[in-house]
Amino acid sequence: MTQGALPETVTTDPPAASAHARAHRPAASALSDSALAELLPDEPRYRREQIRRGIYGGDARGFDQITPLPRQLRERLDATLAFSSVSPARVRIAGDGTRAFLFRAADGTVFETVQLPSERGAATTVCVSSQAGCAMGCTFCATGTLGLTRNLSVAEIVDQFLHVRRESLESAAPDRVVFMGMGEPLANTANVRDAVEALVDPGRGGLGARHVTVSTVGLPAGIAELARWPWQIGLAISLHAASDDIRATLVPLAKHVDLATLMASSIAYQRETRRRVSYEYTMLRDVNDQVAQARDLARLLDGQTCHVNLIPFNPFPGAAYEAPAAGTTRRFRDELRRRGVTATIRQTRGREIAGACGQLRADGAVWRRRSQSTAATGHAS
Ligand code: SAH
Ligand code: SF4
């Protein structure tokens, strides 16, 4: 994504071959320092640092705006690299400050990112997608109804965060990332790993590792791999039921990975990392929201170092479930607490625009429907 003055050699109507080359430029945020050094062998180290600061740190929206760099170098970078791998197709803003971004990749693939206001002061959280769509097919999840388009690249994951940070006022800059947007992060583990590395690298994303959380539907091999990563990031496991029968109706994967196997992998993770695991539990009316089920859940989690996050179901058009009745989620939480399990209710934010994390559905139809049915509007860029 570049703006402003283009190199003189680029016309407004470039020949097809050059347009093709531009569309396939590697994204700047995916380059390691050594790759950048290889690309610019004649540039001194401090120049590479200026480039990095321009890509990761500042508010430049293109190489032409990284003003410490000489003009020729800016033009050279623009001809060789894409400043960002994502461009915003739509932005929508809810009354509570939640912002939903519909991004488009160079090949036209679309996916969503949500910026959530924080309960702890000014900083915000960016909920990123790891895949366009998702192959897991959870029955209560809008993304799950789409199927998988493809994995997102390292740059496409990192650039979601960088774009949102650039577009934020300093007072509301994001300082947390949760992998709770579209897709199953542990089905795209290699790219998610490199994206996490870039996000927590002090010279790049600069986030505290404890401010990054990966949320998984519960793939044991991926959880075991996550335990070996060198960063103290958070793990959230989407549980949704304390019985195999009910879980299998919600999460198709549960037919292959039963609760005993999932709990064993979670307990091994807690033991190896000495970190607490968060369990996410989407509350679905008359399916998994009864007090007796809270008792079963407390029994299942007995002895674990964990926390339960209750998420009231966020309805979407065509969904086969309903949100829990008023007071049900609170009663469920209180029962867990009574039995010694730490539990909180996650506020559902920005319901009128995106439903919030985990129920994103980046098809044009939903964005059109939303824009007709709500007053909250953002701007196309
Ligand atoms: N695939 C990963 C991460 C993305 S989903 C996972 O499943 O954990 C992020 C969270 O949003 C999950 O806990 C998911 O269960 C939840 N979620 C999905 N659809 C939802 C809906 N309609 N209402 C409430 N929570 C939902
Ligand atoms: Fe995929 Fe997570 Fe949605 Fe399940 S809940 S379909 S794993 S995004």
Side-chain angles (χ1 to χ4, degrees), residues 110-257:
V110 288
F111 46 90
E112 287 190 35
T113 305
V114 178
Q115 181 179 27
L116 301 148
S118 160
E119 284 133 38
R120 314 151 285 106
T124 54
T125 297
V126 182
C127 175
V128 295
S129 294
S130 55
Q131 301 181 308
C134 185
M136 295 296 158
C138 301
T139 52
F140 58 89
C141 171
T143 304
T145 64
L146 292 178
L148 177 67
T149 304
R150 68 166 171 82
N151 281 342
L152 297 186
S153 68
V154 178
E156 286 162 350
I157 297 170
V158 173
D159 283 332
Q160 293 172 60
F161 171 72
L162 293 180
H163 179 91
V164 173
R165 183 157 73 177
R166 268 182 229 119
E167 296 298 323
S168 298
L169 295 175
E170 208 173 308
S171 58
D175 71 346
R176 281 170 197 264
V177 165
V178 293
F179 283 82
M180 294 183 186
M182 300 177 85
E184 168 50 40
L186 299 186
N188 184 17
T189 318
N191 289 349
V192 167
R193 184 198 179 285
D194 289 354
V196 167
E197 183 170 35
L199 290 168
V200 304
D201 180 349
R204 293 188 279 167
L207 293 177
R210 287 169 197 277
H211 285 194
V212 176
T213 298
V214 170
S215 173
T216 177
V217 68
L219 292 162
I223 293 171
E225 185 177 337
L226 215 98
R228 295 191 293 271
W229 290 3
W231 315 286
Q232 296 273 311
I233 61 166
L235 168 65
I237 297 177
S238 293
L239 198 53
H240 313 309
S243 88
D244 281 314
D245 288 352
I246 296 180
R247 194 161 190 268
T249 67
L250 307 175
V251 178
L253 175 75
K255 291 174 197 129
H256 310 286
V257 178

Side-chain angles (χ1 to χ4, degrees), residues 341-352:
V341 177
T342 328
T344 46
I345 300 173
R346 184 182 299 159
Q347 274 189 330
T348 314
R349 293 184 174 278
R351 185 173 274 220
E352 75 269 31

Side-chain angles (χ1 to χ4, degrees), residues 5-74:
L6 289 168
E8 282 115 53
T9 47
V10 177
T11 66
T12 50
D13 187 17
S18 122
H20 179 82
R22 277 187 75 74
H24 289 84
R25 291 169 301 169
S29 62
L31 287 191
S32 65
D33 192 53
S34 54
L36 197 59
E38 238 170 74
L39 193 76
L40 305 167
D42 44 339
E43 295 292 344
R45 189 187 172 84
Y46 78 90
R47 282 277 184 240
R48 293 204 302 277
E49 274 160 22
Q50 285 174 330
I51 295 170
R52 279 217 173 282
R53 272 199 297 277
I55 295 163
Y56 282 94
D59 54 8
R61 277 132 171 97
F63 292 114
D64 54 307
Q65 292 176 7
I66 309 181
T67 44
L69 300 179
R71 184 161 171 264
Q72 259 190 331
L73 178 55
R74 287 186 259 157

